[in-house]
Amino acid sequence: MNNLDGGHFNNTYSGLPEYFYTRLDPTPLENPRLVVYSPSAGQQLNLEDTRETREKLTLIGSGNRAWPGSEPLAMVYSGHQFGAYNPQLGDGRGLLLGELVNTRGEKWDLHLKGAGPTPYSRFGDGRAVLRSCIREYLASEALHHLGIPTTRALCVVTSDTPVYRETREAGSTLLRLARSHIRFGHFEYFFYNKRYEALKELADYTIEHHFHDLEGMKAVAGSDKGYQLFYAEVVHRTATLIARWQAAGFAHGVMNTDNMSIIGDTFDYGPYGFMDDFNWHYICNHSDHSGRYAFSQQPDIGYWNCGRLGQALVPLFDDIELIQKALDQYPQIYTQTYTRLMLDKLGLLAEEEEDAELVRDLLQLLHDSHCDYTLFFRTLSSFPSEQPVNQLEALVNHPSLAPWLDSYKKRLKRNPLDDQNRQKRMKQVNPKYILRNYLAQQAIEKAEKGDYQEIENLMNVLVSPYDEHPDFEHYAEQPPEWGKKLEVSCSS
Ligand code: AMP
Ligand code: MG
């Protein structure tokens, strides 16, 4: 058992030379209160969900007590923001507390977001507000339980320390867990500063700790071939991650390269959004005026970001063609993964040539009819025996529905699954519950008044989104009109 008085830390990142980070402690928050704790994330650290655990986490999460064995530091990195290179980023309001090893031997980074100013804070105050911490908490736990790779959230703490945004808000923190907090931007920092030795140290460190078990890596580590294996794996994980976002209807909102995890986790939640009505051009980030990070752009942006990483890795290679070859795999990996996920959503086992068209036509139909993406697939999961066509008609009010359903029915005849088995499989991949923006907003508004129960209520469905929850049926419904128009900006 780990406990909060000790635990087994193996702080490998703080063993790297000092040009990778700045050591410093969190700046304490006043009068801290625990907003929410995730027992499921706690289990990853072998923490027991007791009052004592929660009390100690309140102190640790507010910077009022150190987790014995931790060695807090702010990581340095840079990155491309909205397409332009920014040489000066780094952990401006978060600290890597340390790397805790669980009983399975897994090392988990503990990162405290909102821990106070660091040398990388630029003009910021180093703080985070309650609404952004709750949003990250809810989304990371929601994506995890949907089966999408993501950082985890252990707890949110709030306080009486004032933080000024458009208004005065409560200084708060999120204690985040991830197997690694290394970003594409870490590599860009050393590349653009022409620190090629440090770049190699970082690549070797990343491979040793996170990519050592790739097939064939042992024999080729440190060579062109080893760096190619590593980069090809990052490209693969990024392409498959974004395929999963697209299939789930999730938009990240700020896919800057400093928000791209080197291990392929969904990382740094800001103005993200799960789509309600399907819309190719869905833009969840109110500040994204050009739509650079619109839903439909995410696969291409993932590719572009992998290109920026590839560029930063150039000094490691004798033969830079190897980088291009690995990057060239991205479109195919993305398309194959996305198609497979969409066919799973349709309950189709094998892939036929015209299936891509079936998917495309459906998405066009959902787009044209402003249909709720999640509800459509969940309703279709009972089609046709449990759910009569008129339920779909109520959802999709469009003349193209009938011809599409005809094509789908014909296609199902060639699918080697009976209705019952197909429906069962479809309900395991088409969630009934997603983190709708308005649900997060309602939970935040209550939490800002000191009532944290709505977060817990919401978590009941988010931890098993494919199951039925009769007591929480209302969380599966379409949002009210006001709930579709909420806008989220970057000021968090
Ligand atoms: P983000 O938009 O949250 O991905 O942050 C981009 C960069 O700005 C990172 O280097 C953050 O550490 C930094 N940053 C964001 N908010 C703050 C803040 N309130 N204080 C200091 N730095 C911040
Ligand atoms: Mg960020």
Side-chain angles (χ1 to χ4, degrees):
M1 266 291 154
N2 265 308
N3 64 61
L4 294 147
D5 296 320
H8 178 200
F9 277 85
N10 180 11
N11 298 323
T12 62
Y13 204 84
S14 79
L16 287 169
E18 73 285 356
Y19 41 81
F20 285 95
Y21 52 78
T22 303
R23 290 185 197 279
L24 81 162
D25 289 327
T27 311
L29 291 167
E30 285 164 43
N31 188 21
R33 281 97 60 196
L34 187 71
V35 174
V36 60
Y37 166 73
S38 165
S40 132
Q43 269 176 13
Q44 296 286 12
L45 306 180
N46 311 115
L47 293 180
E48 275 183 286
D49 183 8
T50 61
R51 211 170 113 183
E52 200 190 341
T53 296
R54 288 172 178 247
E55 280 170 6
K56 286 180 179 163
L57 277 176
T58 310
L59 294 174
I60 291 168
S62 59
N64 284 289
R65 175 189 175 135
W67 196 323
S70 64
E71 296 175 281
L73 57 86
M75 292 170 137
V76 65
Y77 55 84
S78 62
H80 279 82
Q81 299 187 308
F82 286 87
Y85 183 65
N86 185 339
Q88 255 312 311
L89 292 168
D91 286 335
R93 56 157 162 180
L95 294 174
L96 177 67
L97 298 183
E99 298 159 58
L100 194 69
V101 185
N102 69 15
T103 49
R104 289 196 296 278
E106 296 167 353
K107 207 149 48 65
W108 284 91
D109 280 7
L110 306 176
H111 175 102
L112 188 62
K113 193 165 182 174
T118 80
Y120 316 115
S121 297
R122 297 174 293 158
F123 304 108
D125 55 10
R127 291 301 187 192
V129 294
L130 183 57
R131 60 189 155 84
S132 71
C133 292
I134 293 174
R135 277 177 55 82
E136 175 152 354
Y137 179 93
L138 290 171
S140 42
E141 290 305 279
L143 261 75
H144 171 74
H145 289 100
L146 283 168
I148 301 176
T150 175
T151 57
R152 301 289 308 271
L154 186 63
C155 62
V156 173
V157 170
T158 193
S159 75
D160 287 346
T161 302
V163 167
Y164 297 92
R165 298 291 180 261
E166 282 87 3
T167 58
R168 180 189 156 129
E169 301 191 44
S172 307
T173 61
L174 174 94
L175 191 43
R176 182 162 75 186
L177 309 182
R179 302 301 299 277
S180 170
H181 274 76
I182 298 175
R183 307 154 188 255
F184 287 13
H186 279 75
F187 292 87
E188 292 178 282
Y189 175 79
F190 291 108
F191 171 70
Y192 285 97
N193 283 297
K194 300 194 170 56
R195 305 275 301 272
Y196 302 146
E197 273 307 309
L199 178 73
K200 184 170 156 26
E201 262 178 299
L202 177 66
D204 291 342
Y205 170 89
T206 308
I207 292 168
E208 182 192 337
H209 289 278
H210 304 290
F211 294 84
H212 60 278
D213 52 5
L214 287 183
E215 205 184 321
M217 182 56 97
K218 269 202 182 70
V220 295
S223 70
D224 262 26
K225 194 73 203 137
Y227 296 126
Q228 190 196 27
L229 267 183
F230 157 60
Y231 178 60
E233 178 67 14
V234 178
V235 168
H236 190 279
R237 290 189 197 182
T238 306
T240 52
L241 175 70
I242 292 167
R244 287 180 194 282
W245 289 354
Q246 299 306 109
F250 175 80
H252 180 283
V254 201
M255 289 176 68
N256 294 335
T257 55
D258 55 301
N259 291 337
M260 298 294 289
S261 145
I262 201 74
I263 57 168
D265 276 346
T266 310
F267 198 35
D268 259 9
Y269 292 85
Y272 66 83
F274 280 90
M275 265 197 292
D276 295 307
D277 294 352
F278 185 78
N279 173 7
W280 290 115
H281 313 301
Y282 173 58
I283 301 169
C284 57
N285 180 352
H286 180 56
S287 320
D288 182 9
H289 305 295
S290 70
R292 178 180 172 86
Y293 297 138
F295 178 73
S296 58
Q297 297 302 309
Q298 296 191 122
D300 285 352
I301 291 290
Y303 175 80
W304 191 85
N305 287 346
C306 284
R308 300 291 62 72
L309 176 67
Q311 182 173 17
L313 298 180
V314 162
L316 304 178
F317 284 80
D318 289 324
D319 177 6
I320 60 170
E321 278 296 302
L322 296 178
I323 301 178
Q324 189 62 45
K325 274 192 188 140
L327 181 61
D328 287 347
Q329 297 301 308
Y330 181 102
Q332 195 192 351
I333 297 166
Y334 171 77
T335 305
Q336 271 176 1
T337 311
Y338 179 69
T339 306
R340 188 60 257 157
L341 291 169
M342 293 310 285
L343 296 187
D344 287 344
K345 286 173 84 67
L346 292 175
L348 299 173
L349 281 190
E351 186 180 342
E352 293 185 0
E353 214 173 292
E354 299 86 59
D355 286 346
E357 200 180 319
L358 191 72
V359 172
R360 225 178 10 250
D361 288 351
L362 173 60
L363 293 180
Q364 194 58 48
L365 167 62
L366 299 183
H367 176 93
D368 292 342
S369 61
H370 308 285
C371 179
D372 189 277
Y373 184 72
T374 306
L375 264 176
F376 177 84
F377 279 101
R378 187 69 181 189
T379 310
L380 191 72
S381 304
S382 305
F383 175 82
S385 53
E386 291 171 24
Q387 199 75 262
V389 174
N390 61 15
Q391 298 230 8
L392 283 169
E393 281 170 350
L395 215 50
V396 191
N397 181 14
H398 197 276
S400 302
L401 175 66
W404 186 84
L405 279 177
D406 279 344
S407 314
Y408 181 51
K409 267 193 251 170
K410 280 187 199 128
R411 178 64 183 85
L412 287 180
K413 291 209 174 94
R414 299 192 299 280
N415 196 36
L417 277 179
D418 59 30
D419 274 358
Q420 209 188 356
N421 274 314
R422 174 179 52 79
Q423 288 164 356
K424 191 166 156 230
R425 289 174 71 108
M426 285 173 76
K427 285 177 193 165
Q428 286 163 354
V429 294
N430 291 314
K432 175 154 178 166
Y433 301 95
I434 53 154
L435 179 60
R436 294 178 185 278
N437 205 17
Y438 90 102
L439 294 176
Q441 187 59 29
Q442 283 178 341
I444 287 166
E445 281 169 20
K446 288 196 174 156
E448 284 177 336
K449 295 189 186 115
D451 173 3
Y452 308 139
Q453 188 54 44
E454 185 63 15
I455 303 176
E456 300 289 352
N457 291 349
L458 202 44
M459 284 311 295
N460 281 317
V461 301
L462 297 179
V463 297
S464 55
Y466 302 103
D467 296 342
E468 298 286 335
H469 296 276
D471 292 344
F472 297 104
E473 209 50 38
H474 55 290
Y475 287 144
E477 287 167 9
Q478 295 195 55
E481 271 314 304
W482 66 263
K484 292 185 184 180
K485 296 189 191 111
L486 290 169
E487 287 176 338
V488 185
S489 74
C490 278
S491 81
S492 56

